[in-house]
Amino acid sequence: MEIMERFEIDVRRSFSHFSFHPFERRIYSHDISVLPSFVEKMVYSQADVIIQPRNVEEVKEILRLSKEYSKPIVPRGAATSGYGGVIPFNGGIVVDFSRMNGFEIDEDLKLVIAEPGAIWWDIQKAARKRGLSLRIYPTSAISSTVGGWIGQGGIGIGSTMFGDIKENVEWLRVLDFQGEKVVEGEDLRYYVGMEGTTGLIISSAVKLMDAAKEIPLAIEVESVGNALKVFGKTKPYSAILMSSEFFRLMNEVKGSDFKEKDTLVAVYLDEEPKIEGFKYEEASEIWKDRFYPLRIKKKGPSLVSVEILLPFEALEAFYGEARKLEIQHAIQTYFSRGEANVIVLIPSDEREKRFTQDWKKAFKLLKIGLKLGGKPYATGLYLSHLSKKVIQHFDDLLDFKRKVDPQNLLNPGKIFPKGRLPMMLKIAGLII
Amino acid sequence: MSEANFLKNLSDEIYACAQCNYCRVCPTYKIEKWESVSPRGRLYLLKLMLNGSKIDSVMLKDFFKCTTCGLCENICIVDIPLLELWEKARNWLTKVKGPLPAHKKLADNIGIHMNIYGEDRNLRDAWFPDNVEISDSETLFFAGCTASYRVREIAESAVKIFSRFGIEFNYLGRDEVCCGSTLIRTGQKEKAERLVEKNIKIWERNGIERVITTCAGCYRTFALDYPRICEERGIDFNFEILHLSQFIEREAGKVIKDGMKAKLKGRATYHDPCHLGRHAGVYDEPRELIKASGLELVEMEHSRENSFCCGAGGGVRAQFRDLSLEIGKLRLEEALQLNVDYLISCCPFCKMHLSHSKKVSGLERNDKPEILDISEVVLKVLNENGF
């Protein structure tokens, strides 16, 4: 019997929720990114099977099958990221955690203990009922999963006060080929932001805070430096700088009437700071829209984007360069502690030739960001050739990866470059 | 129209999908949990087809598992007109691949018996009470297939309400013809168009100017689809279309609120039928009538624009019965959490389906909540007052 046949029989015997259907495999083999077609041809492949485990025992069985048949494992949350982290470019098993979506709130310890498929906003709604709240959450919280964001890492709403997701994880339970582990403290760096390359997160304890009244304020700012000065004087829970172009595009697609000025939106908890001019009546409306930056995709209908983590001192120069782009674009900057995530969104059209040109401009911005001391928000699959340069303690992480996953079956090609693809993508980046 | 041409016309909408997955609210996705049935999955399927992929029978079925409730459109961040898109795509897929078996059966039933259930046309008016008079009024009561054959208490309550308030109305009895809603929703628009013409001719022949219905599906079809189809076909459409809740609230809401001293007791929640609420924007009148009856109205987690489908629409109940009942159970659970005495809706199809969902949930007929239609609530309060 062929190996694939035996594999299929084993899957059918072990799981109740799986799919070998070609279209289902296709659907679960992409994320939200859309790349120029010649790049997509390089990276897109198809999973062998999609499995939706219901419990830890089934995740263990997936690991067993992976080892026995040398099938890569690609964990998947809501696939709302765009770095190719969930793309099974070597085929294998896509593990969709949507059926492991339970969570419990520990009111005494102010923690949520969540399965990987739990949705951030479902947690927030439940936490609110108990007088608690998430400290941080991604702007995609309405649909994105706990496992997905911890796996990718990063900053979000609330990071101005509470830092990145790693700082908000108390502990993780992970599974790898050796078994189950509880990870906490410094060791979290081996898993948070590692895209499931070192183990599968099966449970996470994420820190909560007492629920507080959110007071969004907004002020027009003349420069990024001005924005930093304004929010630096206070202690906002969250601070986002939105460019005039962002509001222009939002007004066009939404029919809203936001002032088309660079605007700092800062959110305070319980107490409103007393700063002159810092109270723009549309702040609440802008704050409500925090989950919908992708609305401007309607202008496209496609969107090209680049996300760069920059030190505060590099922001002014980066904005200057971005504004030299002779192209319609919007910028949103999310401030964390000491660094900011700058997102440049370019409405485009994947059906037209200009799509490749727009990607070229996005890559140019990425290079400028790197020169200014920044790093990509994530490396995933597409930017794994940059990992060694931009990820702290990369060699240590690589040693760890080799130790826990000697066959490189855990989401291969993500974070840690594999084969010729990273070089091809690097070249593609130079071409487009 | 060829595949390429049809899909090209929808290309802007198909490419606009941000794949954000906010449409995970989809009732079908909540039950099945496979992206092929989710709105973003279906849009991705259309995108693949636009680029040359062929749909197979499994995917075709998945595409039709949508109840056309429109919740995805409500949440879509790029404002894709998804309801219209699903209907156009279903219409096209049906032309290319033929209707799904249960949907074909619906069309056959209508073709032969003029109702979706394949029941004897001569029994369409069997529910009509003896002591209620029909006049040649320009106001027509349109009972619809479900209230005529399956949930007759709704049609009966409606005409009794008219009678009690002395409202003259016409009723076509055995000449009443299915509105065509199910055909439009299941991709068989061309067959529905014949019903549009038929109904309009009958109405004109009877001097009808205003049509009142208790059915949310009929209402949506008459109020939104008929004018559009008539425009496409160059037919005049000059009828006022009202749902019973609108009509009663307008004509008698104040009397019920202030004039009826004996009030109903208990706690109730209101299920917005997708066709009446999200599709047609009728939210307040049924709620006003519930409050006027004296019942305490509490809202479910999903209400008004965010209301959750009962699971029956879009041909799902006909073709995918188990799935539709699972969705119905989810809706019922929301009501159960509120510990209400009554779950009230404004649609015979919703009432029938929620009642079946209650049964398969293991709840007894007498267990709370009692599932009622707004017409029954209004009649109850009239009865309480000897009106």
Side-chain angles (χ1 to χ4, degrees):
Chain A
M1 199 186 293
E2 292 290 319
I3 289 179
M4 192 58 201
E5 269 179 70
R6 280 201 293 119
F7 172 70
E8 191 169 332
I9 289 167
D10 253 357
V11 169
R12 290 184 187 280
R13 193 182 293 144
S14 305
F15 302 97
S16 47
H17 300 286
F18 60 86
S19 178
F20 285 98
H21 191 278
F23 174 67
E24 205 76 69
R25 289 191 281 133
R26 192 91 185 257
I27 252 190
Y28 282 86
S29 298
H30 78 102
D31 62 9
I32 66 167
S33 61
V34 180
L35 303 172
S37 55
F38 78 96
V39 183
E40 287 200 347
K41 277 178 194 149
M42 278 193 267
V43 297
Y44 281 152
S45 181
Q46 203 155 300
D48 294 316
V49 64
I50 318 302
I51 299 178
Q52 297 179 333
R54 294 170 301 174
N55 50 46
V56 173
E57 288 312 306
E58 290 194 343
V59 182
K60 284 181 183 167
E61 180 63 9
I62 290 170
L63 282 158
R64 188 191 71 74
L65 287 178
S66 162
K67 200 172 177 182
E68 184 175 339
Y69 295 98
S70 294
K71 294 279 182 199
I73 293 176
V74 183
R76 179 181 165 103
T80 52
S81 182
Y83 295 91
V86 298
I87 291 175
F89 93 104
N90 280 151
I93 307 164
V94 166
V95 185
D96 171 20
F97 280 106
S98 58
R99 288 179 200 270
M100 287 177 68
N101 62 354
F103 60 87
E104 280 176 21
I105 289 169
D106 187 323
E107 292 177 49
D108 299 324
L109 294 175
K110 291 183 190 168
L111 289 175
V112 57
I113 319 298
E115 288 187 309
I119 306 283
W120 288 104
W121 210 242
D122 291 348
I123 293 173
Q124 178 72 337
K125 282 195 271 185
R128 289 265 177 189
K129 284 182 189 164
R130 292 165 175 80
L132 296 169
S133 172
L134 288 166
R135 296 185 355 163
I136 70 167
Y137 52 84
T139 54
S140 57
I142 290 176
S143 65
S144 58
T145 65
V146 171
W149 198 32
I150 294 175
Q152 161 143 330
I155 64 177
I157 301 293
S159 288
T160 319
M161 186 174 275
F162 292 109
D164 65 16
I165 182 64
K166 185 150 67 69
E167 294 172 76
N168 289 278
V169 171
E170 186 72 23
W171 53 256
L172 296 174
R173 276 175 65 206
V174 295
L175 274 181
D176 61 23
F177 296 105
Q178 281 81 49
E180 193 174 326
K181 294 173 188 164
V182 176
V183 184
E184 54 193 342
E186 276 300 301
D187 287 348
L188 287 170
R189 71 193 167 102
Y190 293 119
Y191 298 94
V192 179
M194 298 308 290
E195 311 252 15
T197 53
T198 49
L200 301 175
I201 297 168
I202 48 169
S203 180
S204 317
V206 179
K207 295 171 190 172
L208 303 173
M209 63 177 180
D210 290 323
K213 188 182 169 199
E214 292 167 347
I215 304 166
L217 301 175
I219 189 168
E220 291 170 25
V221 289
E222 285 164 14
S223 65
V224 184
N226 188 214
L228 286 167
K229 251 185 236 166
V230 172
F231 95 75
K233 286 181 195 165
T234 60
K235 285 191 176 166
Y237 162 64
S238 202
I240 313 166
L241 179 62
M242 300 183 183
S243 70
S244 55
E245 298 90 341
F246 178 77
F247 288 112
R248 191 171 309 135
L249 286 165
M250 280 299 257
N251 286 342
E252 281 178 34
V253 298
K254 205 183 153 196
S256 50
D257 195 22
F258 292 127
K259 290 178 195 166
E260 293 172 4
K261 303 279 186 187
D262 289 350
T263 302
L264 175 72
V265 180
V267 181
Y268 296 86
L269 299 180
D270 287 334
E271 275 184 49
E272 185 177 328
K274 291 184 179 67
I275 299 175
E276 210 174 314
F278 203 21
K279 195 173 188 173
Y280 158 32
E281 61 276 13
E282 284 163 346
S284 294
E285 203 53 40
I286 301 170
W287 177 239
K288 273 188 215 158
D289 263 358
R290 66 193 179 280
F291 300 114
Y292 310 109
L294 294 181
R295 269 194 209 285
I296 63 170
K297 187 171 186 292
K298 201 176 165 185
K299 275 296 285 181
S302 311
L303 204 57
V304 167
S305 70
V306 60
E307 276 183 276
I308 309 161
L309 288 169
L310 283 165
F312 286 171
E313 57 274 17
L315 288 173
E316 194 87 67
F318 184 82
Y319 266 66
E321 291 295 329
R323 284 192 158 136
K324 283 182 198 163
L325 278 184
E326 286 175 358
I327 191 169
Q328 198 174 34
H329 68 281
I331 312 177
Q332 280 201 321
T333 297
Y334 294 80
F335 293 99
S336 183
R337 295 196 288 219
E339 65 180 356
N341 182 29
V342 185
I343 307 172
V344 183
L345 300 164
I346 303 168
S348 187
D349 191 337
E350 66 204 79
R351 299 165 297 184
E352 293 179 7
K353 279 185 184 163
R354 72 178 167 103
F355 189 59
T356 303
Q357 293 304 311
D358 292 340
W359 267 112
K360 194 171 182 176
K361 283 168 184 156
F363 264 89
K364 193 176 165 191
L365 281 176
L366 176 62
K367 283 172 204 160
I368 291 167
L370 294 175
K371 271 189 195 158
L372 289 168
K375 55 185 179 183
Y377 183 71
T379 56
L381 172 67
Y382 305 146
L383 300 174
S384 66
H385 59 276
L386 294 174
S387 293
K388 191 171 167 59
K389 200 192 282 183
V390 300
I391 294 179
Q392 243 188 335
H393 312 300
F394 180 81
D395 292 333
D396 175 37
L397 295 170
L398 183 58
D399 284 346
F400 184 78
K401 161 81 175 168
R402 284 176 176 151
K403 198 168 76 187
V404 296
D405 182 22
Q407 285 180 269
N408 197 12
L409 292 170
L410 295 171
N411 212 3
K414 319 299 161 58
I415 310 270
F416 305 103
K418 185 193 171 200
R420 284 182 302 171
L421 185 72
M423 185 52 67
M424 286 159 71
L425 286 172
K426 188 179 176 181
I427 294 165
L430 294 171
I431 297 169
I432 63 174
Chain B
M1 193 185 292
S2 72
E3 279 183 30
N5 281 341
F6 170 79
L7 289 166
K8 255 184 199 166
N9 289 339
L10 299 176
S11 172
D12 282 350
E13 286 89 345
I14 292 168
Y15 279 94
C17 175
Q19 292 286 309
C20 66
N21 206 29
Y22 285 12
C23 51
R24 73 180 178 98
V25 294
C26 166
T28 300
Y29 178 65
K30 272 195 187 302
I31 298 296
E32 299 229 327
K33 291 191 166 61
W34 285 103
E35 290 210 9
S36 50
V37 301
S38 77
R40 81 163 170 176
R42 275 182 272 131
L43 281 162
Y44 194 70
L45 170 68
L46 291 175
K47 189 172 172 181
L48 291 177
M49 290 171 74
L50 190 56
N51 290 296
S53 295
K54 299 282 178 202
I55 190 167
D56 68 9
S57 60
V58 176
M59 288 302 127
L60 183 71
K61 276 194 173 176
D62 278 354
F63 203 90
F64 278 85
K65 284 180 179 171
C66 159
T67 64
T68 63
C69 76
L71 191 54
C72 52
E73 179 172 319
N74 195 47
I75 201 151
C76 179
I77 63 170
V78 280
D79 301 323
I80 303 173
L82 287 166
L83 261 176
E84 200 185 321
L85 181 72
W86 302 141
E87 281 188 5
K88 280 183 183 168
R90 282 167 167 233
N91 184 234
W92 171 68
L93 285 168
T94 304
K95 279 181 193 161
V96 178
K97 300 276 180 185
L100 296 183
H103 298 163
K104 182 178 181 304
K105 176 82 178 147
L106 291 170
D108 291 348
N109 285 341
I110 293 170
I112 300 165
H113 304 285
M114 290 297 151
N115 67 76
I116 55 173
Y117 298 106
E119 298 283 1
D120 185 346
R121 193 174 177 182
N122 293 320
L123 297 176
R124 191 165 182 115
D125 59 356
W127 59 272
F128 200 88
D130 293 335
N131 52 354
V132 174
E133 279 188 20
I134 299 167
S135 81
D136 58 358
S137 164
E138 70 278 5
T139 297
L140 174 75
F141 173 65
F142 187 93
C145 302
T146 305
S148 298
Y149 292 106
R150 293 288 184 269
V151 201
R152 291 173 166 175
E153 63 273 18
I154 294 178
E156 198 176 329
S157 299
V159 296
K160 282 182 177 168
I161 295 167
F162 292 151
S163 173
R164 304 275 176 92
F165 282 108
I167 296 165
E168 290 195 357
F169 70 97
N170 200 344
Y171 168 60
L172 299 172
R174 293 167 197 186
D175 289 336
E176 188 180 279
V177 169
C178 173
C179 68
S181 172
T182 326
L183 295 177
I184 297 172
R185 262 27 97 197
T186 56
Q188 305 177 84
K189 184 175 164 237
E190 290 69 23
K191 287 181 181 164
E193 284 172 355
R194 283 180 234 154
L195 298 176
V196 175
E197 285 185 18
K198 215 172 184 93
N199 269 312
I200 288 175
K201 268 185 198 159
I202 300 172
W203 297 350
E204 282 174 348
R205 202 165 55 229
N206 285 278
I208 302 301
E209 291 178 9
R210 178 164 61 182
V211 180
I212 300 166
T213 180
T214 53
C215 177
C218 299
Y219 173 78
R220 188 252 195 261
T221 306
F222 292 151
L224 303 179
D225 296 309
Y226 272 41
R228 184 170 42 85
I229 291 170
C230 285
E231 197 183 336
E232 284 167 14
R233 298 172 73 86
I235 303 168
D236 284 339
F237 185 83
N238 299 311
F239 303 95
E240 183 188 13
I241 308 295
L242 290 169
H243 186 268
L244 181 82
S245 61
Q246 294 175 299
F247 181 71
I248 298 296
E249 218 286 312
R250 191 172 84 185
E251 299 294 319
K254 199 165 162 46
V255 178
I256 295 167
K257 188 180 174 193
D258 301 330
M260 305 285 160
K261 297 299 172 201
K263 296 291 185 188
L264 303 183
K265 291 187 177 64
R267 201 170 141 89
T269 192
Y270 176 64
H271 164 76
D272 291 276
C274 306
H275 287 135
L276 188 65
R278 209 161 24 239
H279 292 205
V282 180
Y283 299 110
D284 294 327
E285 291 88 339
R287 287 178 167 80
E288 288 306 316
L289 288 173
I290 292 169
K291 284 190 267 182
S293 76
L295 292 171
E296 181 199 352
L297 177 66
V298 286
E299 296 287 357
M300 284 183 273
E301 186 186 344
H302 296 94
S303 68
R304 300 181 71 93
E305 292 86 352
N306 292 315
S307 182
F308 196 78
C309 182
C310 72
V316 172
R317 183 182 156 85
Q319 180 69 43
F320 308 103
R321 182 64 59 92
D322 292 346
L323 165 65
S324 71
L325 290 168
E326 287 300 318
I327 296 171
K329 277 158 76 176
L330 283 184
R331 187 54 165 162
L332 198 61
E333 277 164 21
E334 278 196 33
L336 284 167
Q337 280 169 15
L338 296 173
N339 193 26
V340 288
D341 302 294
Y342 304 104
L343 170 57
I344 300 166
S345 191
C346 256
C347 175
F349 209 45
C350 293
K351 180 182 172 181
M352 177 173 77
H353 190 70
L354 288 168
S355 303
H356 291 183
S357 301
K358 184 177 165 182
K359 192 172 74 184
V360 297
S361 297
L363 294 168
E364 297 295 326
R365 197 180 175 82
N366 294 331
D367 285 343
K368 286 182 189 175
E370 186 181 352
I371 298 168
L372 291 177
D373 184 80
I374 194 70
S375 57
E376 295 171 282
V377 173
V378 171
L379 188 64
K380 255 179 194 263
V381 78
L382 298 186
N383 288 342
E384 286 288 315
N385 287 273
F387 188 83

